[in-house]
Amino acid sequence: MRIRVITAVYFLFFAVLFTGLVQLQFVRGSYFSSLAEKNRIRLVPIPAARGPIRDRNGEVLADTRASYDVYSIPEEVTPESRSRLLPILGPSAAEEMERAGRESPLLPVRLARDVTKEQVIRLEEQRLDLKGVWVESVPIRFYPQGAVGVHVVGYVGLVAEHREALETFYGVHTDLPEGVMGVEEGLNDRLTGVMGGEELEVDNRGRRQRLLGIRVPQQGDEVQLTLDLELERLAQALLAGFRGAIVVMDPRDGAVLALASSPAYDPNVFVEPSRGALRAGLLNNPERPLFNRATMGEYPPGSTFKMITAAAALAAQMDPSRTYHCSGSFRLGNTQFGCWKEGGHGDVDLLEALTVSCNNYFYNLGLALGPDRLSQGALAFGLSQPTGILLGKEAKGLVPSKRWKKSALNQPWYDGETAHFAIGQGYIAVTPIQVARFVSCFANGGYLVSPYVVKGSSEKPRPISLDPAAIRTVRKGLFRVVNDPSGTGKNAHVEGLAISGKTGT
């Protein structure tokens, strides 16, 4: 009986053992084989160079240069190598090696990023004596024009979630730059290219044994902008010392030739590790140099809005020859409104009012129209909505109305607010790029364009919902603003050129 029990126990033991072996070998064999393969094979990513960004004439605005980074495997670095490294890379590299030596002595660690050519030469001269240390070339973004065009081009930064993903690779490339702001952000996928990589065989301690395969990285696409570098540089120079923006746009199709915001900043500080203090200074600067005033700044349009008021009045069949008297002040109820010219302009019609930018005339015109028709006119010119320009987040501004004020502020609308509205003051807010857009409507005969900065991305202009005859009449007034001796824009007159414009405060 005892022998039978022992035999049964042995039989049961071997049955369990056999079942386990079958499970390991046949049922889960491919799974464990995959795990073994993953332990033996490592992928080392090779970053791709970002595509260049050029202006309309081929001048380089953003490119890629070679950056030299120093790496080591702490376990393989001898005491003599450490002593030789210290004078070249400084104490920070030694500290990083000590840290890595405690945490992961068999894995590569970056000791220094973007070292100088002099440091590379010294390292290469002593390469045979620097066991476990090597220099690797990595593409890095750079901006040869510095701050010129920065609010259009943008810059690249290192994205934390991508770094964490890449750190799961065995290897040394753990940074993936991504576009931040401007074209770098808007066209990041086109500019990034395709990352390459090496497939390595490693031993049971994680050390490289041999190269199994390699995929060559592919550079990102080249992007050509509509910007003119020289015009952009001039705009930036004109803004020096001021806070503001300049937009130069082709009114026929919306191509942006210059878009400058001031103060500006050098985008290279975000890709060069040694300039960390400058980065911190930019982020904490009360002047907000990172803020693109051309697309994000919201301001009252001032007297530039008078051309919209005039167009809305003409669309409402108001007689452009009708005159209003300007004595220098305008009384509405208990409130006194002033014209900029002391003593006034006398009797003025629509064209004369545009020429001399008479406030009193437009107070009367706005009250005759009413706030709702003023709002409709502003909306027809694309205000209170983003222009769609490819430069990241864009402010939409505000076109007020009776309904808006009741909803937003729970207050009634007053006639004095209509008077302010008619001359571009009060609640109304626009961005400089919106102003460039609505002014273009008068230049091109009544078509709303979509501003764009990348060549080949233009959209077909669409006609606005106002009478083309009204647009032509306002255009006559805008020509007189610059070319009439009494025009407020007479200083912009250039002999031999047909220039139109409108002043605004």
Side-chain angles (χ1 to χ4, degrees):
M1 182 67 180
R2 185 177 300 173
I3 294 176
R4 289 180 180 179
V5 172
I6 294 173
T7 301
V9 170
Y10 272 104
F11 179 79
L12 180 63
F13 172 78
F14 282 108
V16 172
L17 180 62
F18 178 77
T19 303
L21 289 173
V22 171
Q23 176 81 3
L24 289 173
Q25 185 67 32
F26 297 103
V27 180
R28 306 196 67 194
S30 60
Y31 171 73
F32 288 110
S33 176
S34 175
L35 286 182
E37 187 69 12
K38 289 179 180 177
N39 284 333
R40 187 174 66 88
I41 305 299
R42 295 290 185 267
L43 298 176
V44 179
I46 303 176
R50 287 179 74 85
I53 300 175
R54 301 179 183 273
D55 84 334
R56 65 188 302 110
N57 300 311
E59 296 290 335
V60 178
L61 302 174
D63 209 346
T64 300
R65 65 174 176 83
S67 167
Y68 297 98
D69 296 353
V70 183
Y71 296 88
S72 79
I73 296 179
E75 180 75 7
E76 298 179 1
V77 180
T78 64
E80 182 185 0
S81 295
R82 292 173 188 264
S83 64
R84 289 178 179 272
L85 272 178
L86 190 60
I88 301 175
L89 299 181
S92 61
E95 293 170 4
E96 181 63 25
M97 191 182 299
E98 289 293 333
R99 182 198 63 77
R102 293 190 301 270
E103 297 176 2
S104 52
L106 297 175
L107 293 179
V109 60
R110 180 167 49 202
L111 301 179
R113 187 205 301 263
D114 198 20
V115 298
T116 66
K117 289 183 179 179
E118 291 74 15
Q119 288 173 304
V120 172
I121 292 172
R122 293 176 64 187
L123 289 167
E124 288 299 311
E125 287 175 343
Q126 303 182 54
R127 182 172 55 181
L128 297 178
D129 299 317
L130 293 173
K131 304 297 183 183
V133 178
W134 71 95
V135 177
E136 197 155 317
S137 178
V138 180
I140 189 173
R141 202 58 155 171
F142 85 105
Y143 301 92
Q145 311 303 332
V148 178
V150 64
H151 289 98
V152 174
V153 176
Y155 63 91
V156 296
L158 301 179
V159 182
E161 56 265 30
H162 288 180
R163 283 207 305 272
E164 291 168 2
L166 286 175
E167 283 169 359
T168 63
F169 286 99
Y170 175 88
V172 294
H173 299 298
T174 58
D175 294 333
L176 181 64
E178 182 163 304
V180 182
M181 297 186 179
V183 173
E184 290 277 31
E185 179 181 18
L187 297 181
N188 184 68
D189 290 343
R190 281 180 57 185
L191 292 164
T192 297
V194 179
M195 182 175 283
E198 293 178 336
E199 189 177 40
L200 301 173
E201 182 181 7
V202 299
D203 62 16
N204 63 339
R205 301 187 71 188
R207 293 177 295 198
R208 303 182 185 204
Q209 297 299 304
R210 62 191 177 103
L211 177 66
L212 300 177
I214 186 169
R215 185 177 71 179
V216 178
Q218 300 176 26
Q219 179 174 308
D221 295 339
E222 177 178 303
V223 172
Q224 188 168 26
L225 305 185
T226 59
L227 289 191
D228 183 299
L229 177 59
E230 291 305 311
L231 197 58
E232 182 72 23
R233 185 174 285 121
L234 174 61
Q236 203 73 56
L238 291 171
L239 286 170
F242 298 96
R243 283 184 293 178
I246 291 176
V247 178
V248 182
M249 190 169 76
D250 188 332
R252 296 169 296 185
D253 65 353
V256 176
L257 307 180
L259 188 149
S261 177
S262 180
Y265 61 95
D266 184 352
N268 290 299
V269 303
F270 288 98
V271 292
E272 295 177 4
S274 61
R275 304 173 78 173
L278 290 175
R279 281 198 299 277
L282 281 176
L283 296 172
N284 298 317
N285 191 331
E287 295 290 305
R288 303 176 70 193
L290 298 176
F291 184 69
N292 187 347
R293 287 169 167 81
T295 59
M296 287 295 295
E298 296 174 291
Y299 314 99
S303 290
T304 61
F305 189 77
K306 289 174 182 174
M307 60 182 86
I308 291 181
T309 303
L314 291 168
Q317 307 301 314
M318 292 189 178
D319 184 0
S321 64
R322 177 181 177 176
T323 61
Y324 290 103
H325 183 76
C326 172
S327 62
S329 65
F330 179 79
R331 190 170 188 83
L332 184 62
N334 295 323
T335 304
Q336 196 79 14
F337 294 80
C339 187
W340 67 267
K341 183 179 180 181
E342 189 175 348
H345 295 101
D347 294 329
V348 290
D349 62 11
L350 178 63
L351 292 182
E352 181 65 16
L354 283 170
T355 304
V356 299
S357 198
C358 177
N359 287 351
N360 280 24
Y361 179 92
F362 285 97
Y363 293 146
N364 284 285
L365 201 60
L367 289 167
L369 275 171
D372 289 338
R373 283 195 288 190
L374 280 173
S375 295
Q376 292 168 8
L379 294 174
F381 283 92
L383 299 186
S384 197
Q385 58 183 302
T387 67
I389 192 169
L390 181 76
L391 294 179
K393 189 177 179 181
E394 182 183 359
K396 68 177 185 177
L398 172 66
V399 172
S401 65
K402 287 182 178 180
R403 179 180 295 180
W404 166 83
K405 190 183 179 191
K406 185 64 177 175
S407 173
L409 305 177
N410 195 28
Q411 294 177 1
W413 186 275
Y414 299 103
D415 286 343
E417 293 166 330
T418 303
H420 278 133
F421 189 4
I423 65 167
Q425 302 289 352
Y427 297 114
I428 184 170
V430 299
T431 65
I433 191 71
Q434 287 176 327
V435 175
R437 189 190 197 193
F438 81 66
V439 171
S440 292
C441 287
F442 295 97
N444 64 28
Y447 290 86
L448 198 64
V449 298
S450 297
Y452 68 101
V453 295
V454 179
K455 271 198 168 183
S457 62
S458 62
E459 298 180 12
K460 185 178 180 180
R462 58 181 177 85
I464 62 172
S465 57
L466 288 177
D467 184 3
I471 300 295
R472 290 193 294 270
T473 300
V474 175
R475 282 178 65 172
K476 292 179 183 178
L478 302 182
F479 181 81
R480 289 177 53 172
V481 168
V482 176
N483 298 282
D484 190 288
S486 63
T488 53
K490 61 186 177 183
N491 289 337
H493 174 77
V494 177
E495 197 64 39
L497 292 179
I499 299 175
S500 300
K502 182 70 192 79
T503 53
T505 306

